[in-house]
Amino acid sequence: MSEIILDIKKISVIFNKMFFGRSQTIKAIDNVSLQIFNSETFGIVGESGSGKSTLGNAMIGLQTLSSGEIFYKEIALPLSGTKDWMRLRRQLQIIFQDPFTSLNPRRTIGQSLAEPIITHNLCSKNDVTSKVLSLLDQVGLNSNMAERYPNAFSGGQLQRICIARALAVQPQLIICDEITSALDVSTQAQIISLLKDLKLNQDLSLVFISHDLGLVRNIADRILVMYLGRIVEIGSSDIIFSDPKHPYTQALINAAPIPEPSREAARIKTPLFGEIPDPQNPPSGCFFRTRCNQVHDRCLIETPALKQVKKNQFVSCHHTEVH
Amino acid sequence: MHASLNVKAGQRNGLIGESGSGKSVMARSILKLDDHRTTIYGTNSCIELDGTDILKLPEKSIGKFRGETVSMVFQNPMHSLNPSFTVGAQLRRVLMAHRNYSRSDSKIKILSALKSVDLPGVEELIQRYPHELSGGQCQRVMVAMAILCEPKLIVADEPTSALDVTAQDKVLQILKKLSVENKIAVLMITHDMGVVAQFCEIVNVMYGGRIIETADVKTLFTKPAHPYTAALLAATPDPSKPKKVFNSIPGLQESRTGKMSSSCAFIKRCKFAQPICSHAPEFRTLNDGQSVACHFAGELSLSK
Ligand SMILES: Nc1ncnc2c1ncn2[C@@H]1O[C@H](COP(=O)(O)OP(=O)(O)OP(=O)(O)O)[C@@H](O)[C@H]1O
Ligand code: SF4
Ligand SMILES: [Mg+2]
């Protein structure tokens, strides 16, 4: 495969919260290692609270690590706010779910788009306007929209503007954290097509975080499945979706409805029993053992290591046999 | 709003459409939450439940009607529950508003409702506060609340869109089971075609304040007759299939201005539009179980 742009080595993130005078610790990321390659789209799925956003933030230095390291093109990722980080920041962008709060309401779209171009000195002063217009054009918006303020736009249009702003600085990597979940089905499809088109024309890696498994399968080359801050399965999107090996991945894919009534009705549903455990008090051994239909004695004691089961599929489960 | 909706006893109906299409207005009018002075129903608006037109119910029977005949489950369970009361206290309040039970009878009723939505440790659960539960558990409490007074219809307005897939799956399965076992009709309001495929028997598609297609679920997915329905299906990603090219609908859904236009609501985004489409098409029956508002219904080749 191509060049590694982000090398994540054994990172953990621990949050300390005060709750009624008692300090509580949550391990939001637990010893995660993975790589992001040049020009790939990397999907992250998992239940709410599994650590997807924390990992996304960590990937661009927005989250302090409790241990481990992240390398961006072989340089250790500096901490946010430092001078070194500011320099790298241009190459690492993030887009969030709510475009309304991501844009300054008192600035025109043109001003919002020009700002990063000017700050990072990406073109001569005279060319800023034409650069802004070409960005708008790239995301399918009219040039006359540059004069307007955010409140004049719909959610889908604003999300396009956020994409344009991320693209303005010619980044290497964009983290997309639930960017379509506030949008309608047809607008969501437009945004996905836009991201796919943009990727065809430049060297750009995407990390796509979403609850919508259909969308993730449709856009991602590789995926990561997380459970309580740990990797349960990682590898090729097509392989994992068509032949998931981890009992949690199997349950997750089984729970996502297929938008075809006859095939959906014919499916054998095996719903996940129980609830996601309290993250402050995770189970011993395998974190998934309290809900797993394959659990055996070993799972209570020993944390399963990530093992390769196929060319492009890695699983953390004692039950999975190595071929 | 020009819309008629016909819900049969025990039937699972879907109302699908994008934001601003009028789904929630429809839901509110079913529950009569709308202020009658500001809401003017179109002359041909009609919402029938088991043969009775709900919009024509006399004012004074509304209180009894809401909660007893029809109950509701909303999108955000955390907002629908009061954070400062225990789960048990909130269920008791709903029950007491409609039924004259003794304290012990009401407790039995509440515990059995909570058990029926598959919540564990119900004796202990009724002592807990909403923030001590997960989103999926809260939504199941809401479903338990909705069935307390044995309604004929549950209106569920995007009940799973704040939940993740596993929690959504569970809520849908429980609602389906309760609907079948107790013959409760459900109106599932959603923008998610996957939810429709999994849950509904009959589907109503809304666009621009109108219902533009009604069909049984299999017909709708295999032979959509309205260009908008077909476009919506084409824009829905399928987790069981590898990457494909999305055929997204060009343009934006019009923001509704209150006035109904005299043309077809979909005219500006429809690739089949002809001059005749500047006259609103009639909602007509195409064949058994499928009705469509499009001048060319049945004549277009709407491939997915
Ligand atoms: N700033 C914070 N302080 C304390 N705990 C936090 C903080 N941010 C996240 N957490 C906790 O860390 C864990 C992982 O949270 P995270 O937001 O990364 O999950 P997620 O997978 O993105 O969930 P969702 O799907 O709901 O967005 C959760 O238990 C969460 O409560
Ligand atoms: S390690 Fe054991 S408990 Fe964990 S997923 Fe595998 S079989 Fe289940
Ligand atoms: Mg998140």
Side-chain angles (χ1 to χ4, degrees):
Chain A
M1 218 181 192
S2 48
E3 182 200 358
I4 294 171
I5 64 158
L6 212 57
D7 196 359
I8 297 174
K9 291 188 168 163
K10 295 191 169 175
I11 64 161
S12 294
V13 173
I14 296 170
F15 289 115
N16 285 302
K17 262 201 291 206
M18 288 304 278
F19 193 72
F20 290 119
R22 271 189 304 156
S23 130
Q24 302 187 326
T25 50
I26 289 174
K27 214 167 189 182
I29 304 285
D30 188 6
N31 199 19
V32 164
S33 300
L34 58 90
Q35 279 108 31
I36 306 288
F37 297 97
N38 191 19
S39 299
E40 78 168 335
T41 301
F42 185 79
I44 306 181
V45 300
E47 263 167 308
S48 185
S50 58
K52 304 182 294 296
S53 298
T54 308
L55 180 59
N57 288 339
M59 283 178 176
I60 63 163
L62 285 179
Q63 177 62 59
T64 316
L65 305 180
S66 308
S67 63
E69 286 170 298
I70 299 180
F71 295 89
Y72 171 67
K73 294 186 171 173
E74 291 166 7
I75 310 162
L77 198 64
L79 208 60
S80 77
T82 60
K83 258 212 188 102
D84 287 341
W85 180 75
M86 292 304 268
R87 224 173 300 130
L88 274 186
R89 180 73 173 96
R90 181 176 80 69
Q91 299 173 45
L92 306 169
Q93 294 289 311
I94 190 162
I95 308 172
F96 297 103
Q97 171 170 357
D98 187 0
F100 292 93
T101 54
S102 309
L103 291 163
N104 186 335
R106 282 182 296 277
R107 289 195 166 175
T108 65
I109 298 311
Q111 287 167 333
S112 282
L113 289 178
E115 189 210 75
I117 300 172
I118 296 165
T119 326
H120 293 288
N121 235 331
L122 293 173
C123 64
S124 73
K125 257 203 163 125
N126 298 331
D127 295 338
V128 172
T129 313
S130 67
K131 173 91 192 169
V132 165
L133 296 184
S134 89
L135 281 168
L136 283 173
D137 183 57
Q138 240 185 318
V139 297
L141 295 173
N142 269 334
S143 53
N144 63 14
M145 292 179 171
E147 307 292 311
R148 300 201 210 148
Y149 291 87
N151 65 11
F153 294 93
S154 69
Q157 287 172 315
L158 287 177
Q159 204 56 292
R160 283 167 193 263
I161 293 161
C162 290
I163 294 172
R165 193 178 52 174
L167 289 173
V169 293
Q170 292 147 11
Q172 270 289 320
L173 172 69
I174 305 180
I175 314 286
C176 305
D177 192 351
E178 302 274 3
I179 62 166
T180 62
S181 40
L183 305 176
D184 274 323
V185 189
S186 63
T187 319
Q188 168 182 294
Q190 290 171 354
I191 297 284
I192 297 298
S193 307
L194 170 66
L195 286 176
K196 285 183 173 175
D197 286 350
L198 291 171
K199 278 204 60 237
L200 287 181
N201 303 321
Q202 55 196 303
D203 257 0
L204 175 67
S205 306
L206 294 179
V207 169
F208 192 85
I209 301 173
S210 175
H211 281 293
D212 188 327
L213 299 190
L215 269 190
V216 172
R217 175 145 201 203
N218 209 282
I219 194 169
D221 307 307
R222 287 195 307 140
I223 64 163
L224 161 66
V225 186
M226 290 184 83
Y227 190 78
L228 279 180
R230 288 183 180 167
I231 296 182
V232 302
E233 190 154 358
I234 184 170
S236 144
S237 167
D238 270 337
I239 293 175
I240 292 178
F241 271 106
S242 52
D243 186 19
K245 291 288 190 227
H246 194 285
Y248 173 65
T249 316
Q250 290 168 352
L252 195 66
I253 292 172
N254 187 265
I258 294 174
E260 261 181 46
S262 38
R263 276 204 297 138
E264 173 63 28
R267 245 169 17 138
I268 299 160
K269 284 271 188 180
T270 46
L272 205 51
F273 54 84
E275 308 290 334
I276 195 164
D278 179 359
Q280 294 166 64
N281 230 329
S284 63
C286 173
F287 279 1
F288 189 56
R289 69 171 171 83
T290 53
R291 303 166 82 186
C292 181
N293 54 13
Q294 305 287 343
V295 61
H296 38 89
D297 295 347
R298 192 174 163 199
C299 313
L300 273 70
I301 311 156
E302 206 183 317
T303 301
L306 194 66
K307 283 171 296 204
Q308 181 158 18
V309 293
K310 264 192 200 161
K311 181 158 176 282
N312 214 336
Q313 186 176 26
F314 299 81
V315 183
S316 319
C317 168
H318 294 307
H319 186 72
T320 314
E321 283 155 53
V322 188
H323 298 289
Chain B
M1 192 169 79
H2 286 252
S4 52
L5 203 65
N6 203 313
V7 180
K8 294 205 178 71
Q11 196 178 48
R12 297 187 307 280
N13 284 250
L15 184 60
I16 186 156
E18 300 186 273
S19 62
S21 63
K23 306 184 299 288
S24 294
V25 176
M26 183 77 131
R28 281 200 300 276
S29 59
I30 290 175
L31 281 191
K32 298 238 176 193
L33 295 174
D34 270 336
D35 184 341
H36 286 259
R37 280 158 304 189
T38 56
T39 314
I40 300 148
Y41 298 108
T43 43
N44 51 1
S45 287
C46 142
I47 300 166
E48 275 191 6
L49 171 63
D50 233 1
T52 316
D53 187 349
I54 301 177
L55 297 181
K56 297 203 179 87
L57 271 185
E59 200 81 24
K60 61 175 195 270
S61 53
I62 287 173
K64 197 171 156 56
F65 168 80
R66 196 187 297 149
E68 282 184 45
T69 313
V70 180
S71 60
M72 185 124 190
V73 180
F74 293 98
Q75 173 170 358
N76 198 325
M78 298 293 189
H79 292 171
S80 324
L81 288 167
N82 188 328
S84 40
F85 291 99
T86 62
V87 166
Q90 299 191 51
L91 287 165
R92 194 158 52 240
R93 236 171 88 181
V94 170
L95 192 60
M96 289 325 210
H98 296 281
R99 295 278 192 274
N100 219 348
Y101 285 146
S102 70
R103 230 188 139 74
S104 61
D105 280 352
S106 77
K107 188 172 174 189
I108 293 169
K109 186 87 193 153
I110 287 165
L111 292 182
S112 96
L114 289 171
K115 276 186 203 139
S116 72
V117 295
D118 207 13
L119 282 164
V122 291
E123 287 276 358
E124 188 245 355
L125 183 83
I126 53 174
Q127 317 280 357
R128 287 163 74 182
Y129 290 88
H131 74 263
E132 298 173 291
L133 309 179
S134 71
Q137 287 174 316
C138 277
Q139 198 57 298
R140 269 138 60 199
V141 169
M142 293 309 297
V143 173
M145 192 183 280
I147 59 162
L148 264 186
C149 302
E150 295 144 25
K152 291 207 170 78
L153 171 68
I154 295 177
V155 177
D157 192 354
E158 302 271 6
T160 61
S161 51
L163 307 179
D164 54 41
V165 270
T166 48
Q168 160 171 302
D169 188 45
K170 192 144 197 176
V171 168
L172 292 180
Q173 295 206 30
I174 286 167
L175 254 180
K176 195 168 182 172
K177 188 183 111 216
L178 290 170
S179 162
V180 172
E181 285 172 2
N182 307 310
K183 275 203 140 254
I184 305 173
V186 181
L187 182 66
M188 174 65 67
I189 300 175
T190 180
H191 64 270
D192 186 336
M193 278 293 188
V195 171
V196 171
Q198 179 177 356
F199 186 81
C200 301
E201 297 167 290
I202 302 288
V203 195
N204 303 279
V205 186
M206 257 191 127
Y207 191 86
R210 293 186 176 125
I211 289 180
I212 51 100
E213 181 158 5
T214 297
D216 68 85
V217 71
K218 284 204 177 118
T219 308
L220 191 98
F221 277 77
T222 50
K223 283 186 234 127
H226 196 287
Y228 175 67
T229 311
L232 210 53
L233 287 171
T236 302
D238 183 341
S240 67
K241 286 185 179 157
K243 289 185 193 183
K244 64 160 187 177
V245 181
F246 265 134
N247 300 310
S248 50
I249 313 172
L252 295 166
Q253 174 137 16
E254 312 281 309
S255 45
R256 299 212 302 124
T257 48
K259 246 181 95 182
M260 298 298 300
S261 83
S262 58
S263 60
C264 170
F266 194 52
I267 187 167
K268 289 208 183 120
R269 301 172 76 188
C270 184
K271 59 182 174 188
F272 304 102
Q274 297 289 326
I276 188 181
C277 304
S278 60
H279 300 283
E282 231 179 277
F283 189 67
R284 62 197 164 93
T285 304
L286 195 63
N287 51 48
D288 231 18
Q290 188 169 29
S291 304
V292 191
C294 168
H295 291 294
F296 303 104
E299 295 165 30
L300 304 169
S301 73
L302 299 169
S303 55
K304 267 207 258 176

